[in-house]
Amino acid sequence: RKEVEQDPGPFNVPEGATVAFNCTYSNSASQSFFWYRQDCRKEPKLLMSVYSSGNEDGRFTAQLNRASQYISLLIRDSKLSDSATYLCVLALYNFNKFYFGSGTKLNVKP
Amino acid sequence: EPEVTQTPSHQVTQMGQEVILRCVPISNHLYFYWYRQILGQKVEFLVSFYNNEISEKSEIFDDQFSVERPDGSNFTLKIRSTKLEDSAMYFCASSPDRDYYGYTFGSGTRLTVV
């Protein structure tokens, strides 16, 4: 069973649209959660951490639902520069390693 | 902004050859990691390293792999006898402490085994 599951997409949206990604995880001992963004053939870059209370950073909002074991990312007012693969990432209690989802590809079109 | 630096950016090697991938973590960071990503697949954990020893390693990290911090600044990944299936992007990462929320990745080394 995969630790982290994501819809691979692609999500094709017009500029200005709102788009949401979900991610489910299997291990209830998962401690910390993140969204990373990865451009083609580049390194993953931290977009935001995800907290139980939900958190927002500009156009980006992340939510965590521990009871249902999923996290979400909402992007409002999509920009062309938001086109990338969005990776759901989690860490267990010891933080010795991260588990990555396979990513959800977003294409924002003019 | 501090960076994790990896060299080379691309390495082509013959099957069976040894390769060393190099990383310079951010200077005050204490925890170091190697991950790899086979083309089209997810990022996979290889190994974590702290206080000059391996903290945890994955099933991928078999006897062909080793890590070293030879001089207090570099962090290396050695693959002793490369296989075709070792072809991947290898990312180094570092963090200042274990509870750091999200660590910094280097730009990666693309390893191609032919």
Side-chain angles (χ1 to χ4, degrees):
Chain A
R1 188 176 178 185
K2 292 182 183 177
E3 291 283 349
V4 186
E5 299 218 41
Q6 294 184 251
D7 181 343
F11 284 59
N12 299 307
V13 303
E15 265 187 295
T18 295
V19 61
F21 309 134
N22 288 327
C23 161
T24 57
Y25 61 94
S26 59
N27 192 335
S28 58
S30 301
Q31 187 82 358
S32 296
F33 307 87
F34 312 91
W35 283 102
Y36 275 74
R37 158 194 179 126
Q38 186 174 32
D39 293 291
C40 189
R41 295 181 181 255
K42 300 284 189 183
E43 75 274 22
K45 291 189 176 176
L46 178 65
L47 184 64
M48 57 199 306
S49 302
V50 188
Y51 305 116
S52 296
S53 54
N55 47 302
E56 190 173 304
D57 183 1
R59 298 181 293 109
F60 299 85
T61 301
Q63 293 276 355
L64 164 64
N65 185 319
R66 284 191 184 272
S68 301
Q69 295 185 198
Y70 80 82
I71 71 173
S72 64
L73 177 68
L74 182 78
I75 306 176
R76 288 180 298 279
D77 189 23
S78 300
K79 312 286 185 199
L80 295 176
S81 56
D82 294 335
S83 296
T85 297
Y86 289 82
L87 308 176
C88 176
V89 182
L90 61 85
L92 299 182
Y93 67 95
N94 61 9
F95 285 89
N96 274 338
K97 63 183 176 184
F98 280 2
Y99 294 91
F100 283 77
S102 300
T104 299
K105 189 167 172 57
L106 173 65
N107 296 317
V108 181
K109 313 267 185 187
Chain B
E1 188 176 328
E3 289 183 343
V4 174
T5 306
Q6 288 187 245
T7 54
S9 57
H10 190 192
Q11 173 134 16
V12 182
T13 189
Q14 295 256 336
M15 192 168 58
Q17 296 294 305
E18 174 182 287
V19 294
I20 297 176
L21 309 184
R22 292 184 164 78
C23 170
V24 178
I26 295 171
S27 63
N28 63 342
H29 284 192
L30 301 176
Y31 293 81
F32 314 110
Y33 311 86
W34 283 101
Y35 285 76
R36 80 170 186 190
Q37 186 175 30
I38 294 170
L39 188 63
Q41 296 187 24
K42 65 180 181 180
V43 177
E44 299 176 291
F45 170 77
L46 291 177
V47 66
S48 56
F49 190 86
Y50 170 71
N51 201 25
N52 284 318
E53 61 182 28
I54 290 174
S55 307
E56 189 162 347
K57 60 184 181 179
S58 71
E59 290 173 358
I60 303 167
F61 195 89
D62 61 21
D63 292 344
Q64 294 300 312
F65 290 86
S66 62
V67 288
E68 200 177 34
R69 189 155 160 79
D71 56 12
S73 63
N74 290 285
F75 179 50
T76 62
L77 174 69
K78 183 193 292 186
I79 309 175
R80 260 181 277 283
S81 177
T82 49
K83 307 183 188 68
L84 295 176
E85 54 265 36
D86 293 328
S87 295
M89 196 75 157
Y90 287 81
F91 294 110
C92 174
S94 70
S95 66
D97 58 56
R98 205 165 64 172
D99 294 338
Y100 182 66
Y101 288 107
Y103 35 66
T104 305
F105 284 89
S107 56
T109 293
R110 188 187 313 170
L111 176 65
T112 303
V113 182
V114 297

